[in-house]
Amino acid sequence: MNPTGTTLVIGATGTTGGRTAARLTAAGHRVRAAGRRATPLPGADPVRFDWYDATTFGDALDGVDRAYLVPPIGDPDPAAVMMPFLREARAAGVRRAVLLSSSAIPEGGPAVGAVHRALPGLFEQWAVLRPSWFMQNFTGTHAHADSIRTEGLIRTAAGTGRVGFVDAEDIAAVAVRALTDDRAPNADLILTGPEALSHDDIAAIVGRVTGRPVVHHPLAYEDMRDRLAAVIPPEFAAMLAAMDRAIAEGAEDRTTDTVERLTGRPPSPFRVVAERELRAGPVPRG
Ligand SMILES: NC(=O)c1ccc[n+]([C@@H]2O[C@H](COP(=O)([O-])OP(=O)(O)OC[C@H]3O[C@@H](n4cnc5c(N)ncnc54)[C@H](OP(=O)(O)O)[C@@H]3O)[C@@H](O)[C@H]2O)c1
């Protein structure tokens, strides 16, 4: 891997892409920062890129040898737009691809699972990041963070199920290793924080850190699905509510050593992230 190559960061204005781009530029790597508008980021070369507009692919890929891929958000079939882009990327000289997926989506599973399955056949050097739920869902611009601020409430269909919530900074730190280490992981990596917490635990920690009481309001799967369907497409609403139900059944009650193994330091606990991001007020995305 040429250490002076350029990394295309898709989703560079978002939660993991923004942090990944910032860490890459701080370490002296060249970054092409992609978003639907060419948004200036310190030290990066901004480019307009839209998954749904193939005419934007060429400029984004010009001179790039590796890429961080945040899939199109909320698309039930991201492979339809991602596969043509990935073939073009390989032809343009991209040698390493790091895909953001989710702990809840296995290789070959729904949505981005199909892209995960195809990645090793397209790129000799690859990684699929499969983070658990982001801690930033409670500190940033996610619906949970909004309802915490406006109602002192977190609504889920996750019951008392526990989740290995992970800090987006730790995801970005792993992304940088996967993009820049001499040897690519060539594996999927399940990323968690240091402990599995229930949403009641999260509510209690946010309440202690902010000094304002927060409660977890558990909903039935159907109620969660219908609430979400008022604001997002019904198919996507059903998928998100089903992920909560899987949490209730214990699917996310685990921790892994991946962050420490790849970065050399343990992942941050939620209390530390809440103190960092909520004491100073909510942080903007990215
Ligand atoms: N939240 C969680 O707990 C969690 C857990 C596991 C996995 N995930 C996965 O994380 C992913 C989201 O990643 P994230 O949180 O880093 O991003 P994010 O904060 O949701 O931001 C989305 C990014 O994608 C860009 N984007 C949106 N539509 C685009 C389009 N049509 N073409 C090109 N870029 C587009 C946005 O940029 P512009 O708006 O500037 O175009 C933005 O930079 C999802 O796939 C989700 O499944 C989330």
Side-chain angles (χ1 to χ4, degrees):
M1 172 73 46
N2 172 4
T4 61
T6 297
T7 305
L8 173 65
V9 176
I10 294 177
T13 55
T15 305
T16 65
R19 288 168 171 83
T20 300
R23 283 169 178 267
L24 285 168
T25 55
H29 297 284
R30 280 208 292 267
V31 170
R32 173 113 5 104
R36 285 168 295 179
R37 287 174 306 279
T39 306
L41 294 175
D45 166 28
V47 68
R48 195 177 85 75
F49 171 84
D50 190 334
W51 282 115
Y52 300 100
D53 179 359
T55 65
T56 63
F57 294 177
D59 285 349
L61 289 167
D62 186 28
V64 161
D65 70 352
R66 57 198 114 167
Y68 178 70
L69 308 163
V70 174
I73 307 298
D75 186 329
D77 182 21
V81 290
M82 292 185 78
M83 291 307 294
F85 170 80
L86 293 177
R87 284 191 282 269
E88 191 169 328
R90 186 179 59 175
V94 172
R95 296 285 162 261
R96 188 180 297 200
V98 175
L99 171 67
L100 178 65
S101 178
S102 156
S103 60
I105 301 179
E107 178 190 358
V112 77
V115 183
H116 176 169
R117 171 155 289 170
L119 211 62
L122 283 166
F123 300 97
E124 263 171 48
Q125 303 174 32
W126 61 278
V128 179
L129 307 190
R130 293 180 54 205
S132 182
W133 269 243
F134 300 174
M135 292 177 178
Q136 277 69 19
N137 293 352
F138 308 102
T139 67
T141 56
H142 189 278
H144 287 329
D146 283 345
S147 68
I148 286 172
R149 280 192 290 271
T150 57
E151 303 173 88
L153 261 187
I154 303 170
R155 290 186 189 84
T156 76
T160 56
R162 299 194 306 166
V163 177
F165 293 104
V166 60
D167 181 5
E169 289 290 352
D170 289 329
I171 302 171
V174 170
V176 169
R177 296 254 64 89
L179 287 161
T180 64
D181 279 354
D182 285 344
R183 288 166 72 93
N186 291 352
D188 69 331
L189 303 167
I190 297 190
L191 309 179
T192 72
E195 58 191 339
L197 299 170
S198 69
H199 287 84
D200 294 278
D201 297 330
I202 293 283
I205 294 167
V206 173
R208 274 201 299 278
V209 168
T210 60
R212 290 187 303 275
V214 178
V215 293
H216 173 218
H217 189 66
L219 297 174
Y221 161 81
E222 292 78 10
D223 295 337
M224 189 72 203
R225 180 197 59 199
D226 296 347
R227 280 192 78 91
L228 289 169
V231 283
I232 58 175
E235 218 179 322
F236 192 39
M239 190 178 102
L240 292 182
M243 286 177 162
D244 268 11
R245 185 170 55 190
I247 291 172
E249 291 164 357
E252 294 293 329
D253 189 353
R254 61 179 157 183
T255 57
T256 66
D257 67 354
T258 317
V259 170
E260 182 150 19
R261 201 160 36 80
L262 269 89
T263 67
R265 55 160 186 77
S268 296
F270 181 63
R271 184 187 48 76
V272 169
V273 173
E275 281 171 356
R276 183 179 76 212
E277 299 190 0
L278 291 173
R279 283 245 165 96
V283 290
R285 278 199 325 185

